[in-house]
Amino acid sequence: MLKRKEHISQIIVTAAQMRDIEARIFAAGMPVSALMEKVAGLITRRIQDIFAQASQQSTVTLLSPQAGILVGPGHNGGDALVVARELHFSGYKVWIYSPFDKLKELTSQHLQYAQSLGIPCYQDIEQLPNCDFLVDGLFGFGLERTITDPIAAAINQFNLWNKPIISIDLPSGLHTDTGEVLGTAIRATYTLCLGLWKQGLLQDQALDYVGKAELIDFDIPLADVQAVLGNAAIKRITSATALSTLPLPRPPVTHKYKEGHLLLICGSRRYAGGAILTALGARGSGVGMLSIAVPESLKHLLVSHLPEALVIGCPETETGAFAQLQLPERTELSSFSAIAIGPGLTKDATSIVQEVLASDRPLVVDADGLNILAQLGTIPTLQKRQAATILTPHTGEFARLFPDIADAKDRVKAVREAAARSGAVVLLKGARTAIANPQGAVWINPESTPALARGGSGDVLTGLLGGLLAQGVNKEIPVEDIVATAAWWHAQAGILAASERTELGVDAFTLSQYLLRVIAGQW
């Protein structure tokens, strides 16, 4: 059973959900002022830790650090004012920028007290003194309107200062749910998210503004979280949850077929590399038995790269694409634990994809398999399937599969609707990969690297996912958990490889070689 801290670190909320959770806390008797003091105290200590670490790494030691505090009209501004007070008492030189005439009552009281302490307060950005860093408390969660001048101009000016900015809860100007920039937004160096992760922080379009995001846990009762979210929670994939789904340790008495038999159907003469990379991803999963169906002319190439695999050469067209899926004698699609299809196929393989979709095997569909599925009609085709189906589109493929669903502003909403309507588990690739099952559960992978933005990286993921699915299908592991683990594992391999080789040095072949290094370092 997960410990509370691990459970809290997984949960992602919308603005409405956070509002309801806070309402329960306040209704139970927690004073707003007491919670503000607690939260701001935690923020202050984290800011001091960040600044202390930065000072240790710098050749210049500042005896009296200078902090600029940006104060908005709501309770986010109140948090910032308590931080200003506490930094002032700790010996920091502090000034306050408070450009709003009307403040919430509690925020106004904290501003009055800060001024009584002699902390200078300014409304005009042109009058602001220098500082070593800024604390952004302009807007908290729930902002929905576009920011206009003069606040927009001030935010743009702060971004040009080239000073570290620590945003409270989320960078001011970001939509809490979609991560959309509402006119303009603070480009934070750090974001200290309060209580529970906000959905917008894990949307691709927010990532240029979030900086390094951390959760400030102020002890929200799990009962309140569960009462509001129920079973439809959106969760971050953490290392603990990903590792718990791995097929490790293996039982002392087992054999290759007990550890899953995966069939890969991939490749063509034009895209032979797709078959190799997919197979290398499957090898990295540790699947017990790997069969690879390829056009006949690719057979020797695949054998040379994966001598342990059973490579099945199939009849091919004049252009080197699949003409027919021809399995060995006494072998049917039902002989396999799972099937993965798509990388490198070309659209000439439509009949092969139709045959596999009609099978009763758990199935991963990627690349040309997705393009063919889109031509066949995604939703009516998938609604006929009885077995688990996993789709792994990038944004372009997603738009072809679900042309009336794709929503660039809210990937979480889009992937959840696609899964519900198709009956498939959908993995939407991106800097923050989102995964949804048909029942409405969503997982988001919170860590990745632009090193994965290279041809073939997705093929490795398809093989890895297929191998994990083949191993997990008889272990009663939910399919979406297997998908989440594959996404996490794939991303961590890219992160590890990039740390050693730079982001430019992680080609897809290299990525496949780092898969087992990730697990060896964790297990």
Side-chain angles (χ1 to χ4, degrees):
M1 188 173 178
L2 292 176
K3 294 181 179 179
R4 180 196 172 280
K5 188 176 182 64
E6 175 63 29
H7 197 147
I8 285 292
S9 72
Q10 290 182 8
I11 296 168
I12 302 169
V13 292
T14 63
Q17 289 168 337
M18 191 67 195
R19 215 174 272 118
D20 290 345
I21 291 168
E22 286 194 345
R24 289 180 62 89
I25 295 172
F26 298 140
M30 167 64 82
V32 175
S33 57
L35 185 60
M36 184 176 288
E37 290 288 337
K38 179 174 183 175
V39 169
L42 293 169
I43 295 168
T44 302
R45 287 193 287 276
R46 185 63 191 121
I47 289 173
Q48 291 171 327
D49 289 344
I50 290 170
F51 192 82
Q53 292 168 7
S55 296
Q56 290 173 1
Q57 297 170 3
S58 175
T59 57
V60 179
T61 302
L62 297 174
L63 298 178
S64 299
Q66 300 181 62
I69 312 296
L70 315 181
V71 175
H75 286 166
N76 193 258
D79 293 337
L81 286 165
V82 178
V83 170
R85 183 195 72 205
E86 293 303 301
L87 290 176
H88 170 76
F89 287 145
S90 297
Y92 285 63
K93 293 181 179 179
V94 178
W95 54 256
I96 293 167
Y97 171 67
S98 179
F100 297 93
D101 294 325
K102 293 183 179 180
L103 308 178
K104 280 194 173 183
E105 182 179 0
L106 186 56
T107 302
S108 179
Q109 290 171 354
H110 281 299
L111 178 61
Q112 180 181 342
Y113 184 57
Q115 290 175 306
S116 77
L117 296 173
I119 300 174
C121 181
Y122 305 90
Q123 283 193 311
D124 186 351
I125 190 172
E126 300 300 328
Q127 298 176 348
L128 297 179
N130 194 16
C131 65
D132 298 307
F133 65 94
L134 293 165
V135 176
D136 163 34
L138 289 172
F139 301 105
F141 77 86
L143 181 70
E144 294 183 345
R145 67 183 185 277
T146 298
I147 297 176
T148 57
D149 289 336
I151 303 303
I155 288 175
N156 292 335
Q157 191 63 40
F158 290 131
N159 287 336
L160 293 174
W161 278 17
N162 199 29
K163 301 287 185 182
I165 305 178
I166 301 170
S167 285
I168 297 175
D169 210 12
L170 70 168
S172 294
L174 292 188
H175 192 285
T176 310
D177 298 348
T178 67
E180 179 186 0
V181 176
L182 298 172
T184 190
I186 288 287
R187 291 185 181 271
T189 313
Y190 294 87
T191 297
L192 304 183
C193 186
L194 304 182
L196 297 166
W197 289 103
K198 309 307 183 297
Q199 183 174 296
L201 296 176
L202 290 106
Q203 299 260 25
D204 284 9
Q205 58 191 335
L207 298 187
D208 283 340
Y209 297 84
V210 171
K212 182 179 180 182
E214 304 177 18
L215 185 68
I216 301 294
D217 181 4
F218 58 82
D219 302 316
I220 294 176
L222 274 176
D224 290 324
V225 176
Q226 291 164 349
V228 171
L229 301 185
N231 296 321
I234 304 169
K235 295 183 179 180
R236 295 167 74 251
I237 305 169
T238 65
S239 58
T241 55
L243 291 169
S244 70
T245 306
L246 282 177
L248 287 172
R250 286 183 170 175
V253 179
T254 188
H255 58 73
K256 58 189 177 186
Y257 291 108
K258 279 190 175 181
E259 301 307 326
H261 188 180
L262 172 66
L263 172 64
L264 295 180
I265 305 172
C266 49
S268 60
R269 193 182 306 156
R270 184 178 181 183
Y271 301 115
I276 295 170
L277 293 169
T278 307
L280 290 175
R283 170 199 272 175
S285 75
V287 67
M289 188 68 186
L290 177 60
S291 292
I292 312 168
V294 293
E296 181 65 39
S297 59
L298 272 62
K299 181 174 180 178
H300 293 299
L301 180 63
L302 268 293
V303 169
S304 69
H305 281 84
L306 294 103
E308 77 281 6
L310 173 61
V311 182
I312 306 164
C314 296
E316 61 184 66
T317 66
E318 290 183 1
T319 60
F322 273 94
Q324 180 184 346
L325 180 62
Q326 187 171 293
L327 299 175
E329 188 177 354
R330 295 191 299 276
T331 302
E332 306 291 338
L333 289 177
S334 59
S335 305
F336 302 95
S337 308
I339 302 170
I341 187 169
L345 278 185
T346 78
K347 292 183 180 179
D348 293 339
T350 297
S351 62
I352 312 298
V353 173
Q354 287 177 307
E355 181 180 352
V356 171
L357 285 167
S359 75
D360 65 350
R361 296 293 84 190
L363 177 63
V364 180
V365 187
D366 186 33
D368 281 324
L370 297 173
N371 294 325
I372 292 170
L373 174 61
Q375 290 181 341
L376 295 173
T378 306
I379 293 173
T381 300
L382 292 181
Q383 286 177 342
K384 297 174 185 176
R385 276 185 56 79
Q386 300 299 312
T389 310
I390 301 167
L391 310 181
T392 60
H394 55 58
T395 52
E397 291 163 341
F398 186 92
R400 288 190 285 276
L401 289 165
F402 306 103
D404 59 336
I405 294 177
D407 184 351
K409 290 185 178 181
D410 192 341
R411 288 162 51 86
V412 172
K413 179 182 177 182
V415 74
R416 177 179 267 161
E417 186 175 351
R421 290 178 58 180
S422 67
V425 174
V426 181
L427 179 153
L428 178 56
K429 296 171 183 172
R432 294 293 177 266
T433 292
I435 300 158
N437 73 0
Q439 291 73 44
V442 176
W443 289 98
I444 298 178
N445 188 24
E447 294 183 322
S448 189
T449 169
L452 295 175
R454 296 188 62 169
S457 293
D459 299 338
V460 175
L461 174 60
T462 298
L464 177 66
L465 175 52
L468 287 177
L469 182 64
Q471 293 174 78
V473 72
N474 294 323
K475 295 182 170 64
E476 297 183 356
I477 301 172
V479 172
E480 61 271 19
D481 289 357
I482 295 172
V483 179
T485 293
W488 173 88
W489 190 354
H490 180 260
Q492 291 299 316
I495 291 168
L496 178 59
S499 72
E500 296 183 357
R501 301 170 62 93
T502 78
E503 292 172 354
L504 301 181
V506 189
D507 58 90
F509 178 83
T510 298
L511 174 67
S512 71
Q513 307 307 300
Y514 273 79
L515 291 172
L516 288 178
R517 289 189 56 184
V518 170
I519 302 307
Q522 297 277 351
W523 201 256

